[in-house]
Amino acid sequence: MIRLVSYRVLQAGLVAVMVGALTFIMVRSLPGDMAFRIAAGRYGYDLVDGAAAEQVRRELGLDRPAIAAFADWLWSMARFDLGVSLVSGVPVVVEIRHQLGHSVELAVVAILLSMVLGPPIGVLAAIRPGGLFDRLVFVATVGLRSLPQFVIGLLLIYGLSVHAGLLPAAGHGGARFTVLPALTLALGLAAVSSRIARDATITVMASPYYRFGLTKGLPPGETFRRHGVRNIAVPVITYLGVQLVYLIEGVVVVETLFAWPGIGHALVHAIVARDVPMIQGTALVMGLMFVVLNGLVDLVCHLIDPRRRAA
Amino acid sequence: MKRARMALAAVAMSAIMSPFALWAEDRTLTVVAPWEIKGFDPSVTGYAFTRMEVAETLIEIGDDGLPIPALAASWIVSEDGRTWRFDLRPNVTYHDGSRMTAADVVHSLEIARGKPGVLDKVPIESIEAVGDAAVLIRLSSPFSPLLAFLAHTSAQILAPASYAADGSVTQIVATGPYRIVSVEPPQRFTMERFDGYWGEKPEIARTMFLAAGRGETRTLLAESGDAQIVFNLDPASLQRLAGNDRLEVRAVPLPRVITMKVNAAYPPLADAQVPRALSLAMDRQGIASALLRQPDVAASQLFPPGMAAWHNPDLAPLTHDPERARKILAGLGWMPGADGILEKDGVRLAFTIRTYPDRPELPLVATALEDQFREIGVDATIAVGNSGDIPAGHQDGTLEAALIARNFSLVPDPLGTLMQDFGAEGGDWGAMNWKSDALIAAIDTVLTTGDAELAEEQRRVIARILQDELPVIPVVWYVQTAAVSKDVENFSIDPFERSYRLSRMRWAR
């Protein structure tokens, strides 16, 4: 347990330095003049000109050598200071806190929804492998996983909002606004988790310990509860860790489509405007989130599966 | 008996209607546009707070494009055109209840002057308060479009409470008919009616601005009824929304023009006849009707008819004549090479057109032009990048050509754009390595003269030189499009894109 946590803490530190260095190098090597990009981000394309870019260059010291700028960033990082957005002038921490909250809200609802939808359907499909329901679920999951989230989102807006008028099409506010973007993400996640749950269920139900449970006279429901659920949960939850990549990638697309003020959306805009501190801060937070969530997945598996505790 | 029944009916009616009245009072009018809110600084996001009628400027622009009093009730200019005195409107209160003073106005203008973009281009010597109710602006040389520059959104007048000690803007405390309730950058801000407003109070009590970057999202927001007013629709959505009977689709020409900027020093483009041939190769009518689905926007000259003072109906229109284009190029010695692309002395007639996707039609139009140029043996390559690449390429000289959407109401007087674009050094968004002394003299005359007739004559000279020499090649004029719900009455589009005019609208009963 202690080893597990300390390993993740070490990993977090490495991620922070790597993400910082990589984003820094990548932004510097992107084509185009940074001062003009930042000026375009600030003042809009109608007002960006040589004079505006010059002012930006002077104000931000963009002429300094790259290595000095990077050393500055490392020093600020060591003091837990993420700097100030080059476009809005607001501290990066403030912007990220505002946007991260919205993204986390979206991601959590999406994961919960996918957990409600995916595994139960997978288990039901596993009752009669190759049956009609199993085959229908197979087609649906392949379809949902192969469609880009952008298309799923558009279809959901079109069906549930424009035609049925049940939910707002886009924007951000109460719980009603969360349903469509979260569902867009959840459907893709559920498609995978239902497959994992189905396969795990089939394996578990064919295993000797499960058959022994039935043989010794436990009713099927009781057998499933005592010997099935935990064993199925381990691969489903482990795989959730892998799917976080899909979730983080999806957040970028879904936030833009639904005009949702999240961190993925902020990252895209920061890259376009060459807002280096925002890119570094956002990438850092996303990288750390990845470590933390994977750590949580480890921890949950650790608690569910007693065999790991012995090992 | 009859009267009793009437009274009963009236009571019943009002009982039925009263929830509607309450509902209308509570309802929020939502405006959707693609532009995100990047902060509070007027030079960055000022346009959004002006359009939603939160913040105001000294001068407003009337529907005819002429300056009208706003926070300045009147003004006088000295004989030599170098001293302007603005008498402030009395009894104007900010949204925090404090009173607007001349010192605040000077403070706001001084900060605006320090920012790049607009006021820094005016030859201002000093701005000072005269007592409590007037402001004096001294210029180093006469500058006739000063009023239009003061109407620019970066020159908003904000209360002292808006600024931090270092002059940065931390909140919007202004004077408009609506005041901010909440701001959630980058997507939205909400407003309510400001009861202490100096002018006529708006009917609609609550409004919201929502930024949605994707055209698909905006269209769906209009269709689902979540938003009442949606701006900047793409051509395909426009047709679909026009078929929706809960919506009305409007289009208004703007003083914005899609032009091709050419580097006159780039060897293949160096002969002045080459841009002429490129212009003849452009099928503007085809682009306007097939691509943009707005047949009237094909540009016959730089200035659209809506810019009445500048559009010159007597000019011979730009036409589509690829045959003549080929002849011109052949006459200059350009001959087809092995792949059909014209060559002269080993130089291919090839160049790269840079453009940017912020205005979604630009890459589309660029692709059409690439095709049309190929028909006359010209090889154009399209590079879609960031809008900043165009001024950057102008500055470092690497730009060959660019397709841009130029705004002639940057400040509501096009002179503000023209003086930036066609000066001796050219302009980041205008001429490149091209110069006309006659044009510079004409712009200078219009800038400094107080004689209306002379200005009128010089404007015609300017339009003619631009048409004859094509330092930038006009392609299509720009149309602002909007879908508006039939729940809203009195909707109109401001051709100067200054205001969404929500204070003039009301809920349909």
Side-chain angles (χ1 to χ4, degrees), chain B residues 307-482:
Chain B
M307 292 167 71
W310 292 85
H311 180 82
N312 182 349
D314 305 335
L315 287 180
L318 300 168
T319 52
H320 177 218
D321 189 348
E323 201 46 51
R324 226 177 91 214
R326 264 185 229 114
K327 276 198 192 119
I328 291 176
L329 293 175
L332 294 170
W334 292 97
M335 288 301 154
D339 57 353
I341 299 302
L342 300 175
E343 286 177 11
K344 184 164 92 170
D345 308 328
V347 178
R348 278 160 57 84
L349 189 37
F351 53 89
T352 301
I353 305 178
R354 291 191 206 178
T355 190
Y356 48 93
D358 306 46
R359 295 259 165 192
E361 41 296 276
L362 285 178
L364 292 177
V365 173
T367 316
L369 289 180
E370 179 187 16
D371 205 47
Q372 291 164 9
F373 289 158
R374 193 163 300 270
E375 269 181 45
I376 60 161
V378 173
D379 181 17
T381 311
I382 309 299
V384 180
N386 181 287
S387 55
D389 296 347
I390 287 155
H394 180 98
Q395 293 289 331
D396 65 18
T398 56
L399 188 80
E400 296 165 14
L403 192 74
I404 59 183
R406 190 63 173 139
N407 181 1
F408 284 97
S409 62
L410 211 57
V411 295
D413 187 329
L415 215 45
T417 306
L418 292 173
M419 58 183 258
Q420 286 182 37
D421 284 1
F422 301 106
E425 307 290 317
D428 287 3
W429 292 92
M432 183 166 180
N433 297 312
W434 173 94
K435 183 180 122 169
S436 157
D437 292 328
L439 184 76
I440 293 170
I443 291 177
D444 200 48
T445 310
V446 184
L447 269 178
T448 50
T449 185
D451 178 347
E453 222 164 281
L454 179 65
E456 163 76 29
E457 182 199 306
Q458 292 301 307
R459 282 198 288 266
R460 286 174 172 272
V461 170
I462 292 170
R464 181 170 303 280
I465 295 173
L466 292 175
Q467 185 84 338
D468 287 346
E469 305 200 15
L470 294 175
V472 298
I473 309 173
V475 186
V476 281
W477 297 317
Y478 215 88
V479 167
Q480 172 69 293
T481 51

Side-chain angles (χ1 to χ4, degrees), chain B residues 229-358:
Chain B
I229 301 172
V230 176
F231 284 99
N232 290 70
L233 302 160
D234 58 281
S237 300
L238 206 59
Q239 285 209 321
R240 207 173 84 210
L241 292 179
N244 186 324
D245 48 354
R246 287 190 299 132
L247 296 172
E248 194 186 335
V249 170
R250 296 274 191 91
V252 159
L254 295 185
R256 186 185 279 280
V257 186
I258 294 183
T259 62
M260 194 172 106
K261 169 186 167 87
V262 287
N263 177 357
Y266 185 63
L269 301 169
D271 193 300
Q273 288 299 307
V274 176
R276 164 82 33 214
L278 293 178
S279 171
L280 286 165
M282 290 177 179
D283 181 3
R284 298 177 173 86
Q285 201 60 56
I287 291 172
S289 36
L291 214 54
L292 306 179
R293 315 205 185 175
Q294 303 273 0
D296 324 328
V297 300
S300 61
Q301 56 180 286
L302 185 60
F303 302 113
M307 292 167 71
W310 292 85
H311 180 82
N312 182 349
D314 305 335
L315 287 180
L318 300 168
T319 52
H320 177 218
D321 189 348
E323 201 46 51
R324 226 177 91 214
R326 264 185 229 114
K327 276 198 192 119
I328 291 176
L329 293 175
L332 294 170
W334 292 97
M335 288 301 154
D339 57 353
I341 299 302
L342 300 175
E343 286 177 11
K344 184 164 92 170
D345 308 328
V347 178
R348 278 160 57 84
L349 189 37
F351 53 89
T352 301
I353 305 178
R354 291 191 206 178
T355 190
Y356 48 93
D358 306 46

Side-chain angles (χ1 to χ4, degrees), chain B residues 183-253:
Chain B
V183 182
E184 287 172 62
Q187 248 85 26
R188 67 174 188 166
F189 56 100
T190 55
M191 281 133 290
E192 65 182 9
R193 183 166 50 205
F194 172 47
D195 289 323
Y197 184 54
W198 57 267
E200 204 176 315
K201 314 253 181 322
E203 279 207 32
I204 291 177
R206 289 164 200 283
T207 60
M208 173 163 102
F209 177 86
L210 177 67
R214 295 213 64 102
E216 296 89 346
T217 310
R218 290 198 295 280
T219 304
L220 289 167
L221 279 165
E223 277 188 289
S224 69
D226 291 314
Q228 283 76 38
I229 301 172
V230 176
F231 284 99
N232 290 70
L233 302 160
D234 58 281
S237 300
L238 206 59
Q239 285 209 321
R240 207 173 84 210
L241 292 179
N244 186 324
D245 48 354
R246 287 190 299 132
L247 296 172
E248 194 186 335
V249 170
R250 296 274 191 91
V252 159

